[in-house]
Amino acid sequence: MIRTIDGYNRLWACLRPFLSIYLIWRSLRGKEDRSRQEERFGQAWRRARPAGCLIWLHAVSAGESVAAISLAKACLKLQGEAHILITTNTLTALEQLERTKPDQTIICYQPLDHSVYVKRFLAYWQPDSAVFLESDFWPNLIIETARRNIIVQFASAQLSSTAFINWKKRPELATQLFSAAQLICAVDDEQRQRFEQLCQPNVASISDIGPEKKPDIRIVGSLKLNAFSTPVDETFADQLRVAAGSRPILLAASTHSPEEQILLKASQEVVRAGYPHLLIIAPRHSDRSQDIARLMPQAAHRSKNQLPLLGDNHFLADSFGEMSSLVTAADIVILGGSFVPKGGHNPLEIAALSTPLITGPSQFKNKVEFDTLQQYGQCITVKDGATLVKQLTIWLEALRTDGRAIPQDNLDKACAYVKQACERPTKTARLIIDRLPTQHHPNQN
């Protein structure tokens, strides 16, 4: 087990001869951009470092990219002369960031966490502030940044139970890494306590970045929400309603394998119970479309510019950027990433559009949000396919008799909570801006 930064770097030294081959293998699988491979080695950047203040945000993948864009916009609103650098690890996230980035924002790949590549990256970009989003904590990237007196901050910060236990087994490396941050914005009190434990100094972890200095740890909440940024295509929503006819629309949103099989089976049982409906499956990753299509071969595909016809039972919404329209058309949403151990996806976007929500038991990535929405009655947790069928039957019967699955007051309370949550990027941005070096502080301009 690797317990120190020296041991970690010895591992990278052993891996270095094979890294180019690894990246080529990933590119052949469509998971890496071969034309930008050199960025992984901390070089051949496509843009020059802009003059003035540069705030660096690291977002590991597509979900964190949503938080990065919201935070970037909030930072630029408070510090209009700044520039934003956003790094990511995945091709999907990079493409998403390029589509949605605000002005004065540069997108590139994160270097691999070999110390040589990290030093190249930092020497080129020389950020004034580094913000690591969610739970992507690379030791060299963080520790080397702190050693250069660059302000390190963790935003929307959280650790799974497994990750927390693993870090606890490496107290020297954990203390050195997590104590490198000046500010940790945790998503909830449980996460705050975890970071406090990992930041506890111990004799073995004393280093040149001063782990005896504890970070300022605050509860700010998750930034992984984008509730009002994607416009609703009312024409598309109406087309789906027309195809459904008098039947309700069930949306299975952001699904993972094998959730589609679970949801299709539940749908069939609900139909047999006397509750016909149109089931729309919107997978989390559109590259799984062909696998899902085999499960429902008669379904139209959105990626082929197809629409469901009146009487169709299934529709495959394998497109990007249309989730708000799908949620708007739906009478009930079943949120994926929760019937498999993925931790559940962000439920706030659904609550913002006043749609009833069913989720599976895996919720650790957004636990506070799920708990709050359940308190308001907008969200219900089911433990498996059988209880999903029961809950769908209850809500579909309510739709048939009352015209709504749950009272409007429940939806209104959940929507009000979302509006409060949408203020989190601004609060986090203020904390980031306030810690900028004096020459870049807004009060000094």
Side-chain angles (χ1 to χ4, degrees):
M1 180 184 293
I2 296 172
R3 297 180 181 275
T4 66
I5 191 66
D6 290 338
Y8 180 75
N9 282 328
R10 283 194 293 271
L11 174 62
W12 274 104
C14 294
L15 294 175
R16 189 174 183 179
F18 308 100
L19 294 177
S20 293
I21 298 172
Y22 169 70
L23 292 176
I24 292 172
W25 174 75
R26 280 180 56 83
S27 68
L28 292 174
R29 298 179 64 214
K31 294 183 177 296
E32 201 82 29
D33 185 346
R34 185 75 179 274
S35 69
R36 303 184 69 162
Q37 181 174 308
E38 289 302 306
E39 292 183 12
R40 293 297 207 172
F41 302 125
Q43 58 195 9
W45 306 105
R46 297 188 173 192
R47 291 276 302 275
R49 189 215 189 272
C53 177
L54 181 64
I55 300 171
W56 165 33
L57 311 178
H58 176 61
V60 58
S61 60
E64 292 75 21
S65 298
V66 172
I69 291 297
S70 297
L71 189 54
K73 290 178 179 178
C75 286
L76 290 171
K77 188 173 182 179
L78 293 172
Q79 182 78 332
E81 296 181 359
H83 284 78
I84 306 292
L85 171 69
I86 304 179
T87 55
T88 187
N89 257 336
T90 70
L91 177 61
T92 301
L94 186 132
E95 292 173 347
Q96 177 176 313
L97 287 164
E98 290 285 7
R99 282 192 295 265
T100 57
K101 68 178 181 182
D103 293 338
Q104 299 168 228
T105 302
I106 302 166
I107 311 298
C108 64
Y109 281 110
Q110 172 207 333
L112 297 172
D113 206 42
H114 191 292
S115 61
V116 171
Y117 309 149
V118 169
K119 289 174 182 177
R120 286 177 187 167
F121 170 86
L122 293 171
Y124 184 89
W125 292 108
Q126 300 178 45
D128 297 283
S129 178
V131 183
F132 296 86
L133 291 157
E134 295 288 331
S135 56
D136 204 41
F137 303 114
W138 292 95
N140 277 324
L141 204 62
I142 292 170
I143 293 171
E144 280 295 332
T145 300
R147 282 175 176 163
R148 292 174 181 245
N149 295 318
I150 297 167
I151 302 162
V152 173
Q153 297 161 92
F154 302 156
S156 197
Q158 58 181 316
L159 290 166
S160 68
S161 297
T162 301
F164 175 64
I165 292 170
N166 287 336
W167 280 116
K168 288 285 287 183
K169 294 176 181 177
R170 302 167 173 84
E172 181 176 346
L173 181 58
T175 303
Q176 191 173 3
L177 188 155
F178 293 103
S179 295
Q182 291 188 15
L183 171 70
I184 299 178
C185 296
V187 299
D188 57 36
D189 187 61
E190 181 181 18
Q191 293 295 330
R192 178 189 62 78
Q193 293 179 46
R194 287 180 179 178
F195 285 108
E196 283 183 345
Q197 291 185 52
L198 293 175
C199 290
Q200 290 296 325
N202 59 79
V203 174
S205 67
I206 299 299
S207 74
D208 57 352
I209 64 169
E212 69 277 3
K213 294 172 60 178
K214 292 185 180 180
D216 179 7
I217 305 178
R218 307 190 185 193
I219 301 172
V220 178
S222 174
L223 302 182
K224 198 184 288 185
L225 58 98
N226 202 19
F228 304 104
S229 65
T230 305
V232 174
D233 184 343
E234 291 291 354
T235 299
F236 178 38
D238 285 341
Q239 289 170 329
L240 295 174
R241 295 185 186 105
V242 168
S246 60
R247 300 171 299 165
I249 296 176
L250 306 186
L251 170 64
S254 297
T255 58
H256 297 256
S257 178
E259 289 180 319
E260 292 85 12
Q261 291 96 316
I262 296 171
L263 299 176
L264 282 166
K265 182 180 178 181
S267 173
Q268 292 167 358
E269 293 188 28
V270 169
V271 169
R272 285 197 290 268
Y275 299 95
H277 56 268
L278 170 62
L279 175 65
I280 300 174
I281 293 183
R284 181 69 170 181
H285 303 291
S286 59
D287 58 2
R288 296 184 52 247
S289 295
Q290 293 305 313
D291 292 336
I292 299 169
R294 295 187 188 98
L295 301 174
M296 42 185 200
Q298 305 303 317
H301 295 204
R302 182 61 171 169
S303 63
K304 297 179 180 179
N305 294 318
Q306 298 172 346
L307 288 167
L309 301 176
L310 181 64
D312 283 356
N313 295 320
H314 304 130
F315 177 54
L316 179 54
D318 53 347
S319 57
F320 180 83
E322 293 189 309
M323 188 60 75
S324 292
S325 303
L326 295 170
V327 174
T328 298
D331 295 284
I332 298 169
V333 174
I334 308 162
L335 189 57
S338 61
F339 294 89
V340 290
K342 297 287 185 179
H345 295 300
N346 171 30
L348 296 185
E349 299 173 58
I350 298 164
L353 295 168
S354 297
T355 308
L357 172 65
I358 298 175
T359 176
S362 182
Q363 302 173 7
F364 60 83
K365 285 187 177 179
N366 295 282
K367 186 175 185 302
V368 171
E369 317 298 2
F370 281 115
D371 288 348
T372 303
L373 295 178
Q374 289 188 101
Q375 176 186 334
Y376 292 142
Q378 183 266 346
C379 175
I380 294 290
T381 296
V382 298
K383 64 180 181 180
D384 53 26
T387 50
L388 172 61
V389 171
K390 292 179 182 178
Q391 186 58 50
L392 284 172
T393 302
I394 292 170
W395 275 2
L396 289 170
E397 177 61 27
L399 279 168
R400 179 179 291 176
T401 57
D402 302 329
R404 61 178 71 250
I406 58 178
Q408 185 62 44
D409 183 56
N410 296 39
L411 299 175
D412 291 344
K413 289 178 180 177
C415 191
Y417 172 70
V418 174
K419 290 181 179 178
Q420 291 180 342
C422 286
E423 298 173 3
R424 295 173 189 166
T426 299
K427 293 179 180 178
T428 306
R430 171 53 66 191
L431 293 169
I432 293 169
I433 297 300
D434 285 347
R435 284 168 173 76
L436 285 173
T438 303
Q439 65 268 30
H440 296 311
H441 198 284
N443 294 333
Q444 302 296 323
N445 289 339

